[in-house]
Every structure is written in C-alpha cells, then in structure tokens.
Amino acid sequence: MIFLNSYISVVRRSSSAASSACRQFSSKKPRPIFVAATKQHVGKTTTSLALMSGLQKRFAKVGFIKPVGQQHVTVYSPTLDEDIRVDKDICLLKEQFHLDHIDYQHMSPVIIPRGYTKKYIDGKISHDEQLRQIDTSFGEVSRASDVVLIEGTGHCAVGSIVNVNNANVAKMVGASMLLIANGGLGSAFDELELNRALCEKHNVPIAGVVINKVIPDKYEQTKHYMSKALQDMWGIPLLGCIPDRPFLGCPALADLEKLFQSELVCGHTHRYRHYSVKDINLITTSLTRFLENIRSKAPRTLYICHITRDDIILGFMAEYQRNRRDEERPFEAALLVCGRKDKYQMADEVRDMFEGLEGAPVMVVGYSTHQAMQLIHDYTPKLNIDDKYRVRKAVEHYEPYIDFDQLLYRASLEE
C-alpha cells in the first residue's frame, strides 16, 4: 500500500508539472541536460526516453544529440542528401519523438568504430577536428531547440583515451550532468562518487541523480536513504527513483535473432513477443512429458531442445495445430532448436514442415543447449525503434517518477 500511494503521488505530480514548469522556465533557456550512467546496463537510454517525453510536454522544441557514439547504423540525411553513420540510439529518439526540426547530420557528430582509438593515438585523427564537429553539431541543435537533451556514452570517463569523455564534453557545451545508477545504496553511491569526482574535476554542475531498477519492496527505503545521503554529502537532489519492472528486461524473439545471428524459420509475425528468462524451459524429457508441460505451464514460455529431438520439434508443431483446432487458450510458446553447426543439421523433411506455421515461432541456432541458455541469461536487451510496445511501456513506467520541475530548476541555476 505504501508503494502504491507513492506511485499515485508521483503520477499526480507529473500531471501538474507541465504548466508550472513552462511558466517558471519560459523566460530563461535551461542549460543542456547531459545524461551519463555509472556503468553499462543501468537504463541510461530508457531514462533519456522518459526525459524526452516529459520535456516535450514542457517545451515546443526539444533537441537531442549524442556527441560521441560507438554502435552505429546508417541513415539518410535530407540536408546532405546522402547516407551517413549515426549512433543507434539517435534513430530511436528521433523517430520515436518525431524530432523533425533537427537533421541526423548534427545529432551524432563523433562515431568511434573499431580501430578508431589506434588511429587517434597514431595521430591520424585530429583532436581539434573532433571538438569542432561536436561544437558545430551542438550549436546547430541548440539554435533549433528550446532545450537540449544530451545522451552520453556509458559512464563519465568513457572516451578519455581520445580526449572526449562525457565530463569533458559536458563542460565544453555548458551542460548540467544527470547521473544514472542502478538501485541499491552502498554500491550505487560508490559508483556515483567516481563519476561525481570527474565532473568536479571538469567543473561540470550536477543537476541530480536518478536511481533505476529499485527492488519494489525496498523502494521507500532506497528513496529515503539515497536522497538523504546525496543531499547531506554532496548537496545534490535525488531527481528520480524508479522501481524495477522486469518486463523491460525480457528479450523479444527479435533480440534473440540478433544474439544468435539467426532468424525465425516460422512465426515471423511474433518477432516482438517477449519472453521472461525465468520461464525458459529446457526439454530433456519424453515427448509425453513435454506435451503435458506445454499444456499446463504459462502459455508464453520459451522452450529449448536439441536439434536431434525430432519428436519434440514435431510435437511442438502438432500441439500448435491441435490448439488452433480446438480454440483453447492462446498459443504463445516458442521453440529454440539448438545444435552446433559443425556437428548437427536439421533434416530437410523436418524443416519443410515449418511451412505455414506462422503462429508457432521456431528458431534454429548453432549453439549447444547449455551455451544458448547461458547466452540468454547473460544478455541485456536494448530498446530499439522497431519494438514500439516495449519503448512505450518504458516511457510510461519511468516518466512519472522523474521530478522535472526540480531538474529544470537545477539546470537553470547560475554556475
């Protein structure tokens, strides 16, 4: 009940924040808001999505830029009339929020692909040119926007070897830093301290902290003590405390296609169906036991079997056909068929039988069952523009817990 009441209060606060924030900050453009994490997989991009959603409710034009990127994709730039490389998160934010007032050309000025670091150290890449690209792109985005959201790459020190770490870039563009960490107290605070120290070295003001993936049962405790510690020791507010929602970390079949560099052999219409890692079921029993299992377990279960188990593969197909004929509960199971490529091959006769089974997703991967399960367990799925349902749910979950009034107030303070 305490957690529910807390959620209701943040939702009410969020609904009334837009008008008050616009009135309070319309006369002065806030400093850019630079989002950096304490390490990988803490929800930096998810937080950026929620921030963009909230800022668009408060400002007519919100700019977005990722000054230094690593994993890139190719997109078309209308301004340049040619294809260019940008960080993958740029596509997600630009397309999700229809940032039509800025061109891809200026949203991802520096990309660090494989081999870039060695070229920089060898003097083949100019440091001054890096800074010029960032400065020019930021200037274009800033002039076209009422406020600018900047997403860093990893923690504050990432990029140091090429002299464009997040803290350095934040100082260069005059941004306030928003630090993102995972739930907890001691370890989270320790990680935040390392990043705070680097911000202090570069004279970058810290707007506040957002703590993600907090265990719901420890939500009030974490919020109280982290807020007190940040304020007492650093004079920095806790601007968001986000309870964990496991669904956001559940891989979709499309994620597994990327993980295993494979494709569904059938069931393509369900590529963005998500499966909980805890519900993965490795089939080592008889066909009879498997059929009992698939009829009694949660409908949305990911089953894994070895490629030599023709009985299980055929049984999975037959169960789908029976379920469709009898119109029982929705058939949402999926089957991952495993076997090392250099040792096992699926019989052509079995593969042919997948034809037309669009309601029963099956994927064949070139790994042992043990390797496949370990890879899935260690995998952290990333948000992408094609998985619109998960993106929407992430924004809906995160946004109400962020104190936008306080964030904009801190970003408007004189240094």
Side-chain angles (χ1 to χ4, degrees):
M1 181 59 70
I2 293 175
F3 177 71
L4 178 60
N5 290 338
S6 178
Y7 178 79
I8 292 171
S9 68
V10 294
V11 171
R12 287 174 176 167
R13 183 188 68 207
S14 178
S15 65
S16 63
S19 58
S20 63
C22 284
R23 287 194 302 270
Q24 189 174 357
F25 304 111
S26 58
S27 62
K28 181 180 179 182
K29 186 173 182 176
R31 281 197 302 272
I33 299 166
F34 197 115
V35 183
T38 54
K39 60 181 180 181
Q40 274 190 315
H41 310 317
V42 300
K44 174 170 55 65
T45 300
T46 308
T47 304
S48 294
L49 285 164
L51 288 168
M52 177 60 72
S53 177
L55 290 172
Q56 282 193 332
K57 294 179 175 70
R58 294 158 170 83
F59 298 91
K61 292 183 178 180
V62 182
F64 183 76
I65 182 173
K66 190 164 184 177
V68 181
Q70 292 177 310
Q71 298 181 35
H72 61 270
V73 295
T74 300
V75 298
Y76 174 73
S77 166
T79 302
L80 298 176
D81 192 24
E82 64 181 35
D83 290 338
I84 60 173
R85 295 184 307 176
V86 300
D87 186 272
K88 61 181 180 58
D89 291 334
I90 292 295
C91 294
L92 172 60
L93 270 291
K94 181 169 172 57
E95 294 185 31
Q96 177 68 22
F97 296 103
H98 309 289
L99 305 180
D100 301 325
H101 64 292
I102 45 180
D103 187 74
Y104 276 121
Q105 175 191 2
H106 300 300
M107 299 180 74
S108 186
V110 175
I111 295 291
I112 303 181
R114 187 181 299 275
Y116 186 97
T117 301
K118 294 177 183 176
K119 290 180 180 179
Y120 181 87
I121 295 173
D122 287 336
K124 297 177 182 178
I125 295 174
S126 165
H127 174 60
D128 290 342
E129 178 61 18
Q130 285 184 148
L131 298 183
R132 186 196 67 76
Q133 290 173 344
I134 293 172
D135 184 59
T136 299
S137 293
F138 174 77
E140 291 292 334
V141 172
S142 181
R143 281 188 289 274
S145 309
D146 300 317
V147 65
V148 179
L149 180 65
I150 307 171
E151 183 177 334
T153 298
H155 55 76
C156 286
V158 169
S160 293
I161 197 167
V162 293
N163 287 309
V164 284
N165 67 52
N166 290 316
N168 191 18
V169 173
K171 177 60 178 178
M172 173 183 167
V173 300
S176 292
M177 187 69 75
L178 180 65
L179 295 175
I180 315 298
N182 264 351
L185 289 173
S187 60
F189 197 89
D190 294 346
E191 292 163 359
L192 286 165
E193 168 61 15
L194 293 172
N195 289 269
R196 185 200 67 82
L198 191 58
C199 289
E200 185 178 89
K201 175 184 176 182
H202 289 278
N203 295 313
V204 176
I206 299 177
V209 169
V210 171
I211 301 295
N212 286 340
K213 304 179 184 179
V214 178
I215 298 172
D217 289 345
K218 296 184 177 180
Y219 179 81
E220 294 297 340
Q221 170 185 294
T222 301
K223 182 179 179 182
H224 171 75
Y225 285 105
M226 181 60 76
S227 180
K228 190 173 188 303
L230 290 171
Q231 197 63 54
D232 290 352
M233 298 185 193
W234 300 340
I236 295 172
L238 179 65
L239 296 177
C241 189
I242 321 293
D244 189 28
R245 187 175 182 191
F247 162 74
L248 298 178
C250 292
L253 293 174
D255 294 316
L256 299 185
E257 286 182 319
K258 294 177 184 177
L259 175 63
F260 294 116
Q261 297 185 331
S262 182
E263 293 182 0
L264 290 166
V265 294
C266 58
H268 300 87
T269 56
H270 302 296
R271 291 183 68 239
Y272 292 101
R273 180 181 285 167
H274 302 85
Y275 291 84
S276 172
V277 174
K278 66 182 180 62
D279 289 332
I280 293 176
N281 198 311
L282 174 63
I283 304 301
T284 59
T285 57
S286 67
L287 173 60
T288 301
R289 291 295 299 274
F290 167 65
L291 293 177
E292 292 174 354
N293 190 304
I294 200 172
R295 294 172 189 177
S296 61
K297 276 193 170 291
R300 187 169 296 193
T301 298
L302 177 63
Y303 293 95
I304 297 179
C305 76
H306 195 264
I307 199 168
T308 58
R309 293 296 305 270
D310 290 346
D311 58 332
I312 299 298
I313 299 169
L314 296 175
F316 180 81
M317 298 185 214
E319 180 60 19
Y320 165 68
Q321 298 285 12
R322 186 196 70 81
N323 188 284
R324 189 172 66 168
R325 181 197 67 213
D326 296 345
E327 296 183 346
E328 292 186 353
R329 63 182 185 170
F331 189 90
E332 297 183 339
L335 181 65
L336 199 66
V337 181
C338 302
R340 296 204 308 273
K341 291 181 181 179
D342 58 342
K343 192 172 182 180
Y344 302 100
Q345 293 292 329
M346 179 178 286
D348 291 338
E349 294 80 3
V350 174
R351 189 178 287 271
D352 290 342
M353 296 181 71
F354 291 128
E355 195 76 30
L357 292 180
E358 277 308 304
V362 177
M363 190 187 307
V364 181
V365 302
Y367 294 86
S368 69
T369 54
H370 173 75
Q371 288 173 324
M373 292 188 70
Q374 190 63 50
L375 285 168
I376 295 173
H377 182 270
D378 294 340
Y379 180 65
T380 300
K382 295 296 184 179
L383 294 170
N384 65 83
I385 191 59
D386 295 317
D387 197 346
K388 297 183 183 299
Y389 179 76
R390 182 160 56 189
V391 171
R392 186 176 75 252
K393 289 299 180 184
V395 172
E396 289 175 356
H397 179 62
Y398 270 58
E399 186 179 344
Y401 290 97
I402 298 173
D403 189 341
F404 285 90
D405 283 352
Q406 180 76 335
L407 171 62
L408 292 170
Y409 169 72
R410 296 275 299 179
S412 299
L413 292 174
E414 297 292 338
E415 293 188 44

